[in-house]
Amino acid sequence: MLKFAQWVEAEPLTVPLAEGDTVFVTRHPTVSDAVLRDRLWHLYQDAYTPMAVESPSHEMLFRHEFDEAIDDPANRLWVLWDDDRPVAMTLIATEIGPTRYLSRAYFDRRHAGREIHYIMWLVVHPVFAAQGAIIRLAREVLRREAADGALLVFDAPLVHQAGPEGGFAEMMARLTKSFVGPAPVTMLGASYYYAVDFAQVPAVAPAS
């Protein structure tokens, strides 16, 4: 795997390779190589494209937000490779203050003194989604989070979490139990999108 040495800026491989196995995980404190940044961005786009027609919210970051996230040394970027191709990745924020997704006041009140980490994204290329990519990635990521004793926060759109039970939350509980132990997974809150459909009522003259 020395062919990556000139452009993959990562800590040593964390998944032992079985004989003939070409799948491995790398962890990146930051990514400055332009080629690698583009490849990871394309993976991110490819993974999120199906969501664009499934969720009313804009789940994707814009490119400049993506670049800022992988530049931040407080974020942990994990990448799953199949030989020389990145096929899945997750980014975990270890400092939630700078993010616009979580309320620091909420966690300060309810979990004072805890290390709060947040899964900013978990993406798998559609071609590899059914091939155990998340399991290979989760083994490394969850063990590190457990070692930190973190409260690991994540969210999921309706298409992946139709209600309080099952869905992505249940998958996280099973993965955690398999690789670390039976840590509880607790629902923190929910948001719903509604629309008022004025096309369904008789025409109304606009207010003067």
Side-chain angles (χ1 to χ4, degrees), residues 41 44 48 51-52 55-63 65 100-101 157 193:
W41 170 250
Y44 182 81
Y48 266 115
M51 284 294 301
S55 174
S57 64
H58 184 80
E59 298 289 334
M60 283 186 63
L61 297 178
F62 295 107
R63 177 62 193 261
E65 295 175 315
R100 57 183 172 87
Y101 307 102
Y193 286 80

Short mmCIF file of all heavy atoms in Angstrom, two decimals, residues 41 44 48 51-52 55-63 65 100-101 157 193:
data_model
loop_
_atom_site.label_atom_id
_atom_site.label_comp_id
_atom_site.label_asym_id
_atom_site.label_seq_id
_atom_site.Cartn_x
_atom_site.Cartn_y
_atom_site.Cartn_z
N TRP A 41 -14.71 14.73 -1.81
CA TRP A 41 -15.89 15.54 -2.13
C TRP A 41 -16.79 14.80 -3.11
O TRP A 41 -18.03 14.78 -2.96
CB TRP A 41 -15.47 16.88 -2.70
CG TRP A 41 -16.63 17.67 -3.28
CD1 TRP A 41 -16.85 17.95 -4.59
CD2 TRP A 41 -17.72 18.26 -2.55
NE1 TRP A 41 -18.02 18.68 -4.73
CE2 TRP A 41 -18.56 18.88 -3.49
CE3 TRP A 41 -18.06 18.33 -1.20
CZ2 TRP A 41 -19.72 19.55 -3.13
CZ3 TRP A 41 -19.22 19.00 -0.84
CH2 TRP A 41 -20.04 19.61 -1.79
N TYR A 44 -18.67 12.18 -1.31
CA TYR A 44 -19.73 12.83 -0.53
C TYR A 44 -20.92 13.16 -1.42
O TYR A 44 -22.08 12.87 -1.07
CB TYR A 44 -19.13 14.09 0.09
CG TYR A 44 -20.06 14.88 0.97
CD1 TYR A 44 -20.29 14.50 2.29
CD2 TYR A 44 -20.67 16.05 0.50
CE1 TYR A 44 -21.12 15.25 3.11
CE2 TYR A 44 -21.50 16.79 1.32
CZ TYR A 44 -21.72 16.40 2.63
OH TYR A 44 -22.54 17.14 3.44
N TYR A 48 -24.77 11.41 -1.28
CA TYR A 48 -25.92 12.22 -0.90
C TYR A 48 -26.91 12.47 -2.03
O TYR A 48 -28.05 12.86 -1.79
CB TYR A 48 -25.46 13.58 -0.36
CG TYR A 48 -25.32 13.60 1.14
CD1 TYR A 48 -24.07 13.77 1.75
CD2 TYR A 48 -26.43 13.45 1.96
CE1 TYR A 48 -23.94 13.79 3.12
CE2 TYR A 48 -26.30 13.47 3.33
CZ TYR A 48 -25.06 13.64 3.92
OH TYR A 48 -24.93 13.65 5.28
N MET A 51 -30.45 11.27 -1.71
CA MET A 51 -31.23 11.94 -0.67
C MET A 51 -31.91 13.20 -1.18
O MET A 51 -32.90 13.66 -0.60
CB MET A 51 -30.32 12.31 0.50
CG MET A 51 -29.93 11.14 1.37
SD MET A 51 -31.36 10.49 2.24
CE MET A 51 -31.86 11.94 3.14
N ALA A 52 -31.39 13.78 -2.24
CA ALA A 52 -31.91 15.06 -2.73
C ALA A 52 -33.38 14.98 -3.10
O ALA A 52 -34.10 15.98 -3.00
CB ALA A 52 -31.08 15.54 -3.92
N SER A 55 -35.65 13.84 0.79
CA SER A 55 -35.80 14.66 1.99
C SER A 55 -36.05 16.11 1.61
O SER A 55 -35.40 16.63 0.71
CB SER A 55 -34.54 14.58 2.85
OG SER A 55 -34.61 15.46 3.95
N PRO A 56 -36.99 16.79 2.29
CA PRO A 56 -37.24 18.20 1.98
C PRO A 56 -36.11 19.12 2.42
O PRO A 56 -36.01 20.25 1.96
CB PRO A 56 -38.53 18.52 2.74
CG PRO A 56 -38.55 17.55 3.86
CD PRO A 56 -37.91 16.29 3.33
N SER A 57 -35.28 18.65 3.33
CA SER A 57 -34.17 19.49 3.80
C SER A 57 -32.95 19.29 2.92
O SER A 57 -32.77 18.25 2.29
CB SER A 57 -33.82 19.16 5.26
OG SER A 57 -33.34 17.85 5.37
N HIS A 58 -32.10 20.29 2.89
CA HIS A 58 -30.84 20.21 2.15
C HIS A 58 -29.82 19.57 3.07
O HIS A 58 -29.21 20.24 3.91
CB HIS A 58 -30.39 21.60 1.70
CG HIS A 58 -29.15 21.58 0.85
ND1 HIS A 58 -29.18 21.28 -0.49
CD2 HIS A 58 -27.85 21.82 1.15
CE1 HIS A 58 -27.96 21.34 -0.99
NE2 HIS A 58 -27.13 21.66 -0.01
N GLU A 59 -29.66 18.27 2.94
CA GLU A 59 -28.80 17.52 3.86
C GLU A 59 -27.32 17.76 3.61
O GLU A 59 -26.50 17.60 4.49
CB GLU A 59 -29.10 16.02 3.74
CG GLU A 59 -30.53 15.63 4.11
CD GLU A 59 -30.80 15.73 5.59
OE1 GLU A 59 -29.85 15.61 6.38
OE2 GLU A 59 -31.96 15.95 5.96
N MET A 60 -26.95 18.13 2.39
CA MET A 60 -25.55 18.26 2.03
C MET A 60 -24.94 19.58 2.50
O MET A 60 -25.62 20.60 2.53
CB MET A 60 -25.38 18.18 0.51
CG MET A 60 -25.46 16.81 -0.07
SD MET A 60 -25.07 16.85 -1.85
CE MET A 60 -23.35 17.43 -1.81
N LEU A 61 -23.67 19.52 2.81
CA LEU A 61 -22.90 20.75 2.98
C LEU A 61 -22.55 21.30 1.61
O LEU A 61 -22.48 20.57 0.62
CB LEU A 61 -21.60 20.47 3.73
CG LEU A 61 -21.69 19.94 5.17
CD1 LEU A 61 -20.29 19.68 5.70
CD2 LEU A 61 -22.44 20.90 6.06
N PHE A 62 -22.32 22.60 1.55
CA PHE A 62 -21.75 23.19 0.35
C PHE A 62 -20.25 22.89 0.34
O PHE A 62 -19.65 22.55 1.37
CB PHE A 62 -22.02 24.69 0.31
CG PHE A 62 -23.49 25.02 0.18
CD1 PHE A 62 -24.19 25.54 1.27
CD2 PHE A 62 -24.16 24.82 -1.01
CE1 PHE A 62 -25.54 25.84 1.16
CE2 PHE A 62 -25.51 25.11 -1.13
CZ PHE A 62 -26.20 25.62 -0.04
N ARG A 63 -19.63 23.04 -0.84
CA ARG A 63 -18.22 22.65 -0.96
C ARG A 63 -17.34 23.41 0.03
O ARG A 63 -16.43 22.82 0.65
CB ARG A 63 -17.73 22.86 -2.41
CG ARG A 63 -16.24 22.54 -2.61
CD ARG A 63 -15.91 21.09 -2.32
NE ARG A 63 -14.49 20.83 -2.21
CZ ARG A 63 -13.74 20.31 -3.20
NH1 ARG A 63 -14.29 20.02 -4.36
NH2 ARG A 63 -12.47 20.08 -3.01
N GLU A 65 -18.11 24.56 2.92
CA GLU A 65 -18.35 24.04 4.26
C GLU A 65 -17.66 22.68 4.44
O GLU A 65 -17.10 22.39 5.51
CB GLU A 65 -19.85 23.89 4.51
CG GLU A 65 -20.61 25.19 4.52
CD GLU A 65 -22.11 24.98 4.64
OE1 GLU A 65 -22.64 24.11 3.92
OE2 GLU A 65 -22.75 25.69 5.43
N ARG A 100 -22.99 24.55 13.57
CA ARG A 100 -24.30 25.21 13.60
C ARG A 100 -25.43 24.19 13.77
O ARG A 100 -26.60 24.52 13.60
CB ARG A 100 -24.51 26.00 12.31
CG ARG A 100 -24.42 25.20 11.03
CD ARG A 100 -24.58 26.11 9.82
NE ARG A 100 -24.33 25.46 8.55
CZ ARG A 100 -25.23 24.79 7.84
NH1 ARG A 100 -26.46 24.67 8.32
NH2 ARG A 100 -24.93 24.23 6.69
N TYR A 101 -25.09 22.96 14.11
CA TYR A 101 -26.09 21.90 14.13
C TYR A 101 -26.58 21.54 15.52
O TYR A 101 -27.69 21.06 15.68
CB TYR A 101 -25.52 20.64 13.45
CG TYR A 101 -24.97 20.92 12.08
CD1 TYR A 101 -23.59 21.05 11.87
CD2 TYR A 101 -25.82 21.11 11.00
CE1 TYR A 101 -23.09 21.33 10.61
CE2 TYR A 101 -25.31 21.39 9.74
CZ TYR A 101 -23.94 21.50 9.55
OH TYR A 101 -23.45 21.79 8.31
N PRO A 157 -32.45 11.68 8.77
CA PRO A 157 -33.68 12.15 8.12
C PRO A 157 -34.76 11.07 8.18
O PRO A 157 -34.49 9.90 8.46
CB PRO A 157 -33.23 12.41 6.68
CG PRO A 157 -32.07 11.50 6.47
CD PRO A 157 -31.37 11.42 7.80
N TYR A 193 -41.09 18.77 8.99
CA TYR A 193 -41.37 19.78 7.98
C TYR A 193 -42.85 19.73 7.63
O TYR A 193 -43.40 18.64 7.39
CB TYR A 193 -40.54 19.55 6.72
CG TYR A 193 -39.09 19.90 6.87
CD1 TYR A 193 -38.20 19.03 7.50
CD2 TYR A 193 -38.60 21.12 6.41
CE1 TYR A 193 -36.87 19.36 7.65
CE2 TYR A 193 -37.26 21.45 6.55
CZ TYR A 193 -36.41 20.57 7.17
OH TYR A 193 -35.09 20.90 7.32
#
